[in-house]
Amino acid sequence: MNRTPNLLEVAKAAGVSNMTVSRVVNNSGKVSDKTRQKVLKAIKELNYQPNLIARSLARKKTNILGLVVYSEKGVHPAFYNEIINGVQQGASELGYDLLIFANSEKQSYSDRITHSSFVDGVIFMGVKINQNDIKNVHEKGFPYVFVGKREIEGINPYFISPDYIKGTKMATEYLIELGHTRIGLIGQSRMIEPDYDKLLGYQEALYKHNLVYNPQLVFEESQTQLDGYNAMKELLKQKPTAVIINNTYSTIGATTAIKEEGLRIPDDISVIGFDDNQELNEQFNDFIGLELSTIRIPKIDLGRQAAKMTISLLEGNDVSQANFIDLQFIKNSSCKKL
Amino acid sequence: MNRTPNLLEVAKAAGVSNMTVSRVVNNSGKVSDKTRQKVLKAIKELNYQPNLIARSLARKKTNILGLVVYSEKGVHPAFYNEIINGVQQGASELGYDLLIFANSEKQSYSDRITHSSFVDGVIFMGVKINQNDIKNVHEKGFPYVFVGKREIEGINPYFISPDYIKGTKMATEYLIELGHTRIGLIGQSRMIEPDYDKLLGYQEALYKHNLVYNPQLVFEESQTQLDGYNAMKELLKQKPTAVIINNTYSTIGATTAIKEEGLRIPDDISVIGFDDNQELNEQFNDFIGLELSTIRIPKIDLGRQAAKMTISLLEGNDVSQANFIDLQFIKNSSCKKL
DNA sequence: TTGTAGGCGTTATCAT
DNA sequence: ATGATAACGCCTACAA
């Protein structure tokens, strides 16, 4: 690998000083058109590209965003993937690249992030997040954003989260307006914040429409196909006319149970799902010939906004700490008016 | 955000020169135990961390690996996810972080990679890879590894790929040894290299055991559940006693078709799948109560090895250009001896 | 064993 | 409009 040329060499070739070249490269300051042409020619001839490391050192800014995904066994949950793509897009649109921090046993993330000068800001993601990491960066005033709602004692962290409460409330109200009163909810969990918020939204909708909350219609901790299947089998004993299901895997299991019982969607039961796994969701719908109404989490947008928030923050703009992004309701043919 | 201390400040605090501090930090050169203790104390008190940008500039080495994923609309195919995790693990084990290059309309990847000095080496991944990018880095001698087998005219690129030929051959032979002669293959595609290799492996196995290749047992381009379902419906007309299926989605569709026809696995037909999507695969097997024999692509390992290859390369070690990684055959109860 | 000088490639500052 | 010079924080090479 042969060396790449630097500013000085370009300057010599163009017969100007390095600063003039720098100005041309960065489009900053005043440069006469004539010299600019000379410089541009030299740049082209030498195939010059600025050395970003040197630039970063001088500017004290790398234009790189850090990304930390806390995950078990180093595996990113499939759910986060699309968000990460969004982060990348958002970052890219503003001229930033993305550095994925690898797990290191020797050093905590937060130290490496704040001290290494390699990233200008950081995005945290994941369920098993280390609260100390956030606390550290927060206290140091290092720009960060957490994806997902999170409460940490003592501080109000910057975060952006899907508004599960509002989203589920909206879906529930939709069903209520179609005349449903016995609405099941599969998958709420008191331990997982998003799931718990879904329950809250569900309850809010019932309350608003003077319907009584019936715990027998609510099933906890449904994550897998099998969970969804079992939950639905139980739920059907309660003769619901509609059901909202937590996640894609559960939905697959649950609709299978519905089929097995000889019931049809939406004639015998209305169904609304969450499309946390969009690809699978679409595949499955195609296959079953189902046109499921779903609550969509705009994951790309979520990631993109996380990136933009972080950049706003690191550029010194005011950013509010708690941010929510609306869920979308995709109306389809799996719900029937009673 | 307050400034972080630098070598000089630590040096002053410890009453030594910056070089001594540097030596302690890097564990290089000779430093007396007494001074070392002083320095370590100062480092701790000031909470010093080396500035990696400055270090990179001086060393002309960042300890960062670049990762370029070529994908449609910025979406990483689910398949690549796990590989990326593997890359991260491999990199991390050798002290490298990962920089994801974002798509930029202004600049080609290869220019940014080779000129920006931000990464020491790069890993390419994806179907829609830009051949020019590889060509460029290759010609410049910039360390790179491509994940997946790829032929590019004029050059022999460095790559690491699953050995689909060998893997499929192994599975096919397993079925032949169980007494099967009418073995279906769902999902080969002449256009997609891995799929085509599966066909080659299948044919090699037949040839080796003096069985005649019957194109009627082979179905092309099966990617989705629906594809798999339709292919299997057709295939069953040929009365196969066993079938090998291309990917997880196809397998789900195909086994559904088998069920619908009132056939049982493995009593009426033996089935082997590929678990390209391991999570879904497991979920599905659980749900169906199926214990599918599968050909496993060791994706974590693939990614890890890609990282290690790249690092070997950039450290100046000899690395062979074409590398294959064995697939694993996971024997389970979905195949029967005839 | 420890320290000094110079350089890595860029940008900021201050002159001209 | 252009240029000289000093940072940025660290490392290499050489000197003491």
Side-chain angles (χ1 to χ4, degrees):
Chain A
M1 277 240 325
N2 22 25
R3 275 190 1 76
T4 55
N6 62 19
L7 270 188
L8 224 82
E9 300 174 54
V10 177
K12 268 182 202 156
V16 298
S17 82
N18 54 347
M19 265 321 291
T20 305
V21 180
S22 175
R23 288 193 181 100
V24 171
V25 169
N26 295 297
N27 258 317
S28 68
K30 303 286 174 199
V31 181
S32 80
D33 229 49
K34 216 176 104 195
T35 20
R36 163 170 281 112
Q37 295 313 324
K38 275 196 301 188
V39 171
L40 286 175
K41 189 157 158 270
I43 287 178
K44 200 160 204 171
E45 273 167 7
L46 297 180
N47 190 20
Y48 168 79
Q49 299 269 136
N51 180 316
L52 297 184
I53 293 289
R55 172 180 285 173
S56 298
L57 181 60
R59 286 190 184 162
K60 293 171 160 297
K61 183 158 186 309
T62 57
N63 268 41
I64 293 184
L65 250 39
L67 181 62
V68 179
V69 183
Y70 296 86
S71 52
E72 245 163 324
K73 294 187 294 173
V75 180
H76 298 171
F79 177 75
Y80 285 109
N81 240 47
E82 223 175 316
I83 304 179
I84 295 176
N85 289 328
V87 170
Q88 203 192 116
Q89 284 180 34
S92 159
E93 282 161 22
L94 296 175
Y96 284 72
D97 275 319
L98 219 53
L99 180 69
I100 307 283
F101 276 98
N103 223 324
S104 153
E105 276 129 33
K106 292 183 216 145
Q107 242 180 331
S108 88
Y109 283 116
S110 48
D111 278 354
R112 284 192 296 154
I113 290 163
T114 56
H115 281 0
S116 71
S117 303
F118 244 119
V119 298
D120 299 331
V122 65
I123 293 170
F124 294 107
M125 221 180 255
V127 194
K128 302 188 64 187
I129 186 171
N130 181 335
Q131 303 222 343
N132 272 333
D133 281 341
I134 287 199
K135 228 170 179 163
N136 282 343
V137 295
H138 186 90
E139 278 160 10
K140 283 187 182 136
F142 190 90
Y144 78 92
V145 164
F146 184 73
V147 175
K149 193 169 128 191
R150 199 60 39 139
E151 270 141 33
I152 295 176
E153 59 157 309
I155 67 171
N156 293 316
Y158 289 89
F159 71 80
I160 178 161
S161 167
D163 196 337
Y164 288 109
I165 297 183
K166 208 161 124 193
T168 314
K169 184 177 176 189
M170 174 174 64
T172 310
E173 285 200 70
Y174 169 72
L175 289 170
I176 294 172
E177 278 154 17
L178 288 181
H180 294 273
T181 54
R182 294 189 66 76
I183 301 169
L185 178 68
I186 289 182
Q188 83 81 9
S189 158
R190 276 174 208 280
M191 301 320 295
I192 302 171
E193 210 143 5
D195 282 351
Y196 189 57
D197 281 354
K198 290 170 192 167
L199 176 63
L200 292 181
Y202 170 84
Q203 289 174 325
E204 276 185 18
L206 296 181
Y207 182 77
K208 179 171 164 195
H209 292 267
N210 296 313
L211 293 174
V212 177
Y213 170 65
N214 177 357
Q216 289 193 303
L217 295 174
V218 172
F219 290 77
E220 292 194 23
E221 304 289 357
S222 175
Q223 299 299 332
T224 66
Q225 288 187 40
L226 200 54
D227 293 342
Y229 177 86
N230 291 332
M232 185 54 94
K233 283 275 185 179
E234 278 304 306
L235 175 59
L236 288 176
K237 294 179 187 161
Q238 304 291 329
K239 305 283 176 204
T241 62
V243 61
I244 296 173
I245 306 164
N246 191 25
N247 73 48
T248 301
Y249 284 131
S250 291
T251 305
I252 295 177
T255 52
T256 308
I258 291 172
K259 261 193 156 176
E260 267 188 30
E261 296 292 320
L263 301 175
R264 282 160 315 160
I265 301 169
D267 304 287
D268 302 309
I269 185 166
S270 294
V271 177
I272 294 177
F274 276 83
D275 73 337
D276 47 287
N277 189 333
Q278 194 166 338
E279 185 190 351
L280 180 56
N281 217 51
E282 282 166 10
Q283 280 257 345
F284 177 71
N285 287 353
D286 278 1
F287 186 53
I288 298 291
L290 191 65
E291 296 184 323
L292 197 63
S293 293
T294 50
I295 300 168
R296 173 162 298 167
I297 304 158
K299 294 191 285 294
I300 294 280
D301 218 49
L302 178 62
R304 183 189 256 119
Q305 294 221 30
K308 301 209 163 169
M309 268 179 72
T310 313
I311 293 169
S312 259
L313 219 44
L314 70 87
E315 286 181 347
N317 304 324
D318 267 356
V319 174
S320 56
Q321 318 220 230
N323 296 79
F324 290 95
I325 187 167
D326 281 347
L327 301 184
Q328 294 152 6
F329 185 60
I330 311 293
K331 204 178 285 185
N332 222 320
S333 62
S334 67
C335 299
K336 193 185 94 173
K337 196 173 170 78
L338 283 196
Chain B
M1 277 242 321
N2 21 22
R3 271 189 4 76
T4 54
N6 62 19
L7 270 188
L8 222 80
E9 300 173 54
V10 176
K12 270 183 199 151
V16 297
S17 82
N18 52 350
M19 263 324 291
T20 305
V21 180
S22 174
R23 289 194 181 98
V24 172
V25 169
N26 295 297
N27 260 316
S28 68
K30 304 286 176 197
V31 181
S32 80
D33 230 50
K34 217 177 103 195
T35 16
R36 162 170 283 111
Q37 294 313 324
K38 275 197 301 190
V39 171
L40 286 174
K41 188 157 160 269
I43 287 177
K44 199 159 206 172
E45 273 166 6
L46 296 179
N47 190 20
Y48 168 79
Q49 300 268 136
N51 181 317
L52 298 184
I53 293 288
R55 173 181 285 174
S56 298
L57 181 60
R59 286 189 184 164
K60 293 175 158 297
K61 181 157 186 312
T62 57
N63 268 39
I64 293 184
L65 248 40
L67 181 62
V68 178
V69 183
Y70 296 85
S71 51
E72 244 163 327
K73 294 187 294 176
V75 180
H76 299 171
F79 176 74
Y80 286 108
N81 238 45
E82 223 176 315
I83 303 178
I84 294 177
N85 289 327
V87 170
Q88 202 191 117
Q89 285 180 34
S92 158
E93 282 161 23
L94 296 175
Y96 285 73
D97 276 319
L98 219 54
L99 180 70
I100 309 281
F101 277 98
N103 222 325
S104 154
E105 278 131 32
K106 292 184 217 142
Q107 241 180 331
S108 88
Y109 282 116
S110 49
D111 277 356
R112 285 192 294 154
I113 290 163
T114 57
H115 281 358
S116 71
S117 302
F118 242 119
V119 298
D120 299 331
V122 65
I123 294 170
F124 293 107
M125 220 180 257
V127 194
K128 302 188 65 186
I129 186 172
N130 180 335
Q131 302 221 345
N132 272 332
D133 281 341
I134 288 200
K135 229 170 179 164
N136 281 343
V137 295
H138 186 89
E139 278 160 9
K140 282 186 182 136
F142 190 89
Y144 78 91
V145 166
F146 184 72
V147 175
K149 192 170 128 190
R150 198 64 37 141
E151 270 141 33
I152 295 176
E153 60 158 310
I155 68 172
N156 293 313
Y158 289 89
F159 70 80
I160 178 161
S161 166
D163 196 336
Y164 289 110
I165 298 183
K166 207 162 123 193
T168 314
K169 184 177 175 188
M170 175 175 64
T172 310
E173 286 201 69
Y174 170 71
L175 289 169
I176 294 171
E177 279 155 15
L178 288 181
H180 295 272
T181 54
R182 295 188 66 77
I183 302 169
L185 178 67
I186 289 182
Q188 81 82 11
S189 158
R190 275 175 209 282
M191 301 320 296
I192 301 171
E193 208 143 7
D195 282 351
Y196 189 57
D197 281 354
K198 288 171 192 167
L199 175 63
L200 292 182
Y202 169 85
Q203 289 174 325
E204 276 186 17
L206 296 181
Y207 182 78
K208 180 171 163 193
H209 292 266
N210 296 311
L211 292 173
V212 177
Y213 170 64
N214 177 357
Q216 289 193 304
L217 295 175
V218 173
F219 291 77
E220 292 193 22
E221 303 289 357
S222 176
Q223 298 299 332
T224 67
Q225 288 187 40
L226 201 53
D227 292 343
Y229 177 86
N230 291 332
M232 185 55 93
K233 283 275 185 183
E234 279 303 308
L235 175 60
L236 288 176
K237 293 180 187 160
Q238 304 292 329
K239 306 286 177 202
T241 62
V243 61
I244 296 173
I245 307 163
N246 190 27
N247 73 48
T248 303
Y249 284 132
S250 290
T251 305
I252 294 177
T255 52
T256 308
I258 291 171
K259 261 194 159 175
E260 267 188 30
E261 297 291 320
L263 301 175
R264 283 160 315 159
I265 302 169
D267 304 286
D268 302 309
I269 185 166
S270 294
V271 177
I272 294 177
F274 275 84
D275 75 337
D276 47 288
N277 189 332
Q278 194 165 337
E279 185 189 350
L280 178 56
N281 218 51
E282 283 167 9
Q283 280 258 344
F284 177 70
N285 287 353
D286 278 1
F287 186 53
I288 299 290
L290 190 66
E291 296 185 323
L292 197 64
S293 293
T294 49
I295 299 167
R296 174 162 298 167
I297 303 158
K299 294 191 285 296
I300 294 281
D301 218 48
L302 178 61
R304 182 188 258 120
Q305 294 221 32
K308 302 210 162 169
M309 269 179 73
T310 313
I311 293 169
S312 259
L313 219 42
L314 69 86
E315 286 180 348
N317 304 325
D318 267 355
V319 174
S320 56
Q321 319 218 232
N323 297 79
F324 291 94
I325 187 167
D326 280 348
L327 301 185
Q328 293 151 7
F329 185 59
I330 311 293
K331 205 179 285 186
N332 221 322
S333 62
S334 66
C335 299
K336 194 184 94 174
K337 196 172 169 75
L338 283 196

